[in-house]
Amino acid sequence: MAQRVGVLGAGFTAFAGRRDDVRLEELIFEAAAAALADAGITRADIGTVVMAGADQLDGRSISSMMAAGPAGAYLKDEIRTTSEGTYAAILACLRILSGEYEVALAITWSKTSEGPYDLISNLSYDPFWLRPLAFNDIVESAVVSSSYQSSTTLLAEAAPAVVVKNRSHGSANPRAYLRAPVTREAILASPYIAYPIRKAEVPQPCDGAVALVLASEGRTLEAKRAPVWIQGFGWGTGNYTYGRGVAAELPGLRAAATKAYAMAGVTQPASEIDFAELYDGTPFDELFAYEALGLAPQGGSARSALQGDFLDGGRCPVNVSGGAQSTNLRFAAGMMRIVEAYLQLSGRAGPIQLAAPHQGLAQGGSTYPAQGHAVFVLRNY
Amino acid sequence: MNQKEQTEAPLIHSGEWKIHYDYAVGETATQFFLRLRDQGKIAGKKCPSCQGVLVPPRAFCERCFVQTEEWVDVGPEGTIEAFTIVYEPFDGLPEPPYAVAYVTLDGATTAMANFVRALDLSDPEVAARQLAVGNRVEAVFADAREGAVTDFYYRLM
Ligand SMILES: [Zn+2]
């Protein structure tokens, strides 16, 4: 790939359990305006606006009619994907690499306090086979977790350790929604919500919107700030039907990582990736991602987690931001992973800044049915 | 009016979507549901390319990207591939506790999800051990069947 995409800036809203002070379009405006300000550009500089939103979560049909304006798209090229939030960044990168656009604003949002999320999640399943069985994203995560076939005893130990790690990391992050750390004892004392997932392993959700300003290589080099590059990206779709292979192996994520690593020239992720921001709506999501992304040996996720490989200060810190365990933006959680990785590589992560990171990974994935995944390799050289 | 004069919480306006759909089940799943309803049998469709027996049946194999034709009866016994037991209530979903499992029925290539019943779920650890991946179950058919996935459930053997 001759050209690469740069990140000019990032913006996000205040996060709260309910953002009743703003309606959805105002929430979107808040993030888009923050991203433009951070990038030091105005709406006039944007060539294309790429949105990711889900009508059923927004409670509005064809919500892009309402969202385009506050996202900055009035009389501009605009497109929306209804896949998980990071697909806005995927599509924005592709549009820049097409050569048609110099600057793109990618934006996604999640204001799930306004509707019955569990029920909406159930409606995402087909009406014949799974919807009648009361499936939703948590049930699905639990089912996928039960299919893990390596070191299951260690897995049960590692899951609360991941939550403790991320909430501890998040307690130092001024951008995080949940700032209080949790203890292993408190997690183990909480009831199962869907075995093997405990109630304290599913973080309280929050409302918010997240945006990135992306640009061509040439335009990025013109900016005053030292560049951060999206050196590689990939996305992959696993199977919806089950039972051919082990679900916890996350075939969609493996496919996405293979493409992203090939594009970025990464051949040994465990040694070449300095840190990662992974989707962790449940600790099992993060644990299975270690293996799928090559950050832990096959079958070794739990052991690697328990020996502290992914702690701040460990071999490859994961979710030093606190992850979705600290800021559960649901549909927009993956996009916030890119923003946190970008801030690290930009040297602007504040109190949670890692010492001189050069290459990081950010991952987003559909919360249900763990089918679609997107992987980004970011680099500051 | 400036922000400081606003003393009440921002207003909330409620809305609801009540939209009725009539989903076409399609000829393939219709045959499956009629066989389930009228004969108490579970059948899959065989891919002529990879020979995989797809249960629930599909009119096509998405991997080989060809249409399936031959019907094959499977089960009623099978092996658990994955499971969960739900202990907390979700909005609009059944009262917990309930268990669901993906089971590869004997003769099938793919696993099919359904409720697991006739099992004491009061102790999560005990119930989870009984539902462990690899354990055997059998499909039990309801007496009154309507041609839907819930016409059968799984029971431990
Ligand atoms: Zn096939």
Side-chain angles (χ1 to χ4, degrees):
Chain A
M1 180 77 55
Q3 292 286 318
R4 53 186 176 174
V5 174
V7 185
L8 289 190
F12 44 89
T13 63
F15 303 136
R18 295 190 65 99
R19 283 295 309 272
D20 286 342
D21 57 318
V22 287
R23 46 204 274 189
L24 181 55
E25 50 265 59
E26 293 162 346
L27 189 75
I28 293 166
F29 176 78
E30 193 176 315
L36 293 182
D38 188 58
I41 64 171
T42 67
R43 196 178 81 82
D45 298 314
I46 302 173
T48 178
V49 173
V50 184
M51 302 178 280
D55 290 349
Q56 75 276 21
L57 294 178
D58 294 342
R60 290 124 162 115
S61 172
I62 321 182
S63 60
S64 44
M65 292 197 310
M66 161 280 301
Y74 177 65
L75 296 185
K76 285 185 185 289
D77 176 272
E78 163 261 309
I79 192 165
R80 182 186 61 147
T81 164
T82 61
S83 296
E84 180 269 340
T86 53
Y87 280 70
I90 290 278
L91 190 49
C93 286
L94 291 171
R95 288 166 91 73
I96 288 167
L97 292 176
S98 76
E100 290 293 312
Y101 308 96
E102 288 292 311
V103 179
L105 183 114
I107 186 164
T108 186
W109 53 84
S110 189
K111 204 169 191 293
T112 56
S113 69
E114 294 186 351
Y117 180 80
D118 299 332
L119 180 60
I120 292 165
S121 173
N122 175 251
L123 290 175
S124 300
Y125 288 89
D126 74 83
F128 315 110
W129 308 115
L130 292 179
R131 200 190 293 174
L133 304 180
F135 267 61
N136 66 18
D137 61 333
I138 296 296
V139 173
E140 178 88 28
S141 277
V143 165
V144 169
S145 301
S146 79
S147 76
Y148 188 71
Q149 290 177 342
S150 310
S151 55
T152 47
T153 318
L154 283 179
L155 187 72
E157 262 189 73
V162 167
V163 177
V164 169
K165 166 180 76 74
N166 291 357
R167 291 289 296 274
S168 166
H169 289 168
S171 69
N173 183 358
R175 297 175 291 281
Y177 166 56
L178 302 173
R179 296 289 304 278
V182 293
T183 63
R184 181 180 185 83
E185 293 66 39
I187 294 165
L188 292 177
S190 83
Y192 288 110
I193 183 165
Y195 187 94
I197 301 172
R198 293 181 186 275
K199 205 167 182 179
E201 293 173 332
V202 179
Q204 284 298 308
C206 58
D207 290 346
V210 185
L212 282 169
V213 179
L214 303 173
S216 66
E217 182 154 8
R219 182 69 179 74
T220 303
L221 290 169
E222 288 168 17
K224 282 188 206 148
R225 201 175 277 149
V228 173
W229 305 104
I230 295 183
Q231 194 71 25
F233 59 94
W235 65 106
T237 302
N239 41 299
Y240 173 72
T241 51
Y242 201 95
R244 302 179 95 178
V246 178
E249 288 178 358
L250 303 181
L253 181 54
R254 281 168 200 263
T258 300
K259 289 175 201 162
Y261 289 156
M263 187 175 170
V266 170
T267 56
Q268 303 291 331
S271 56
E272 293 175 47
I273 301 291
D274 297 332
F275 71 98
E277 287 282 326
L278 306 183
Y279 178 70
D280 59 333
T282 77
F284 298 97
D285 294 308
E286 180 174 320
L287 282 162
F288 301 144
Y290 297 152
E291 284 174 44
L293 294 166
L295 301 178
Q298 295 311 303
S301 277
R303 189 173 299 280
S304 294
L306 288 167
Q307 69 193 24
D309 285 3
F310 307 114
L311 286 167
D312 190 355
R315 174 172 62 79
C316 175
V318 170
N319 288 329
V320 287
S321 67
Q325 285 290 328
S326 301
T327 310
N328 185 5
L329 285 165
R330 284 176 164 158
F331 195 80
M335 190 74 123
M336 196 60 196
R337 306 278 65 71
I338 307 177
V339 169
E340 290 286 358
Y342 161 66
L343 292 175
Q344 286 290 347
L345 291 165
S346 187
R348 298 192 291 140
I352 61 163
Q353 180 65 49
L354 294 164
H358 293 298
Q359 184 155 262
L361 184 149
Q363 177 229 344
S366 57
T367 52
Y368 48 86
Q371 189 181 17
H373 294 270
V375 172
F376 301 80
V377 176
L378 292 91
R379 186 182 285 178
N380 61 8
Y381 61 93
Chain B
M1 183 181 91
N2 66 40
Q3 188 68 23
K4 289 184 184 116
E5 290 171 28
Q6 186 180 310
T7 54
E8 289 185 48
L11 297 176
I12 303 289
H13 287 186
S14 295
E16 256 181 82
W17 278 354
K18 283 189 183 169
I19 305 172
H20 178 89
Y21 294 89
D22 288 311
Y23 297 113
V25 173
E27 289 177 355
T28 297
T30 294
Q31 286 192 59
F32 173 93
F33 284 131
L34 294 181
R35 190 162 175 77
L36 175 62
R37 184 189 70 187
D38 301 336
Q39 298 176 50
K41 294 218 161 116
I42 301 169
K45 283 201 94 176
K46 192 169 183 177
C47 170
S49 179
C50 67
Q51 308 297 317
V53 176
L54 310 180
V55 182
R58 304 188 87 187
F60 53 89
C61 174
E62 67 188 9
R63 300 197 178 184
C64 306
F65 225 64
V66 293
Q67 287 195 319
T68 58
E69 282 154 26
E70 189 188 342
W71 283 95
V72 182
D73 278 338
V74 299
E77 297 176 12
T79 305
I80 295 175
E81 302 283 348
F83 74 95
T84 189
I85 313 160
V86 177
Y87 285 101
E88 290 285 318
F90 292 112
D91 290 340
L93 298 181
E95 271 302 301
Y98 51 91
V100 292
Y102 271 98
V103 170
T104 300
L105 291 158
D106 294 346
T109 305
T110 63
M112 178 165 182
N114 218 322
F115 291 112
V116 185
R117 301 198 194 280
L119 172 66
D120 180 5
L121 301 174
S122 56
D123 184 329
E125 308 294 349
V126 171
R129 274 198 295 278
Q130 292 185 282
L131 290 168
V133 172
N135 284 0
R136 298 281 291 168
V137 296
E138 63 182 340
V140 179
F141 300 92
D143 292 333
R145 298 189 291 269
E146 55 182 15
V149 67
T150 43
D151 280 355
F152 77 93
Y153 61 87
Y154 297 123
R155 182 173 64 194
L156 288 167
M157 295 186 62

